[in-house]
Amino acid sequence: MKRKQSFEWLLKEYMARNHIDTMAELASLIGMTRKTLYDRIANPNTLRVFELMSIDEVLHFSDEDMARLGRGQICGKK
């Protein structure tokens, strides 16, 4: 069985693909405060649908990663 991937690492992977350097820059692009973004990273189960859609608009998640997020197969910070 595969280990759950960390939401933080998933974000960083997509940030690198989209040439976004910092979490502060990502938060600005998605219209979220840094604190809220860090809270969601710590516990991705608290993501609201509109927040996930905003993040997806900027990072362009694959269909597989969106499904994994929706199913709770991505974990928060350890």
Side-chain angles (χ1 to χ4, degrees):
M1 185 173 170
K2 276 186 169 179
R3 265 186 62 197
K4 284 188 176 182
Q5 182 178 8
S6 161
F7 185 49
E8 180 178 21
W9 283 106
L10 181 69
L11 288 178
K12 288 182 178 184
E13 177 183 333
Y14 280 94
M15 286 169 59
R17 291 180 189 178
N18 290 284
H19 309 288
I20 299 170
D21 297 323
T22 64
M23 288 292 180
E25 183 180 354
L26 176 62
S28 175
L29 289 169
I30 61 177
M32 186 182 284
T33 66
R34 282 187 302 159
K35 179 170 180 1
T36 300
L37 179 59
Y38 286 121
D39 289 346
R40 300 303 186 253
I41 289 170
N43 189 1
N45 294 330
T46 62
L47 270 169
R48 296 183 172 111
V49 173
F50 73 90
E51 293 169 337
L52 185 56
M53 290 172 53
S54 296
I55 295 169
D56 183 46
E57 285 178 21
V58 173
L59 297 180
H60 312 287
F61 289 128
S62 69
D63 291 340
E64 179 183 302
D65 287 333
M66 282 295 283
R68 289 173 54 222
L69 279 165
R71 290 185 184 124
Q73 294 174 340
I74 304 287
C75 63
K77 279 186 174 180
K78 295 278 177 175

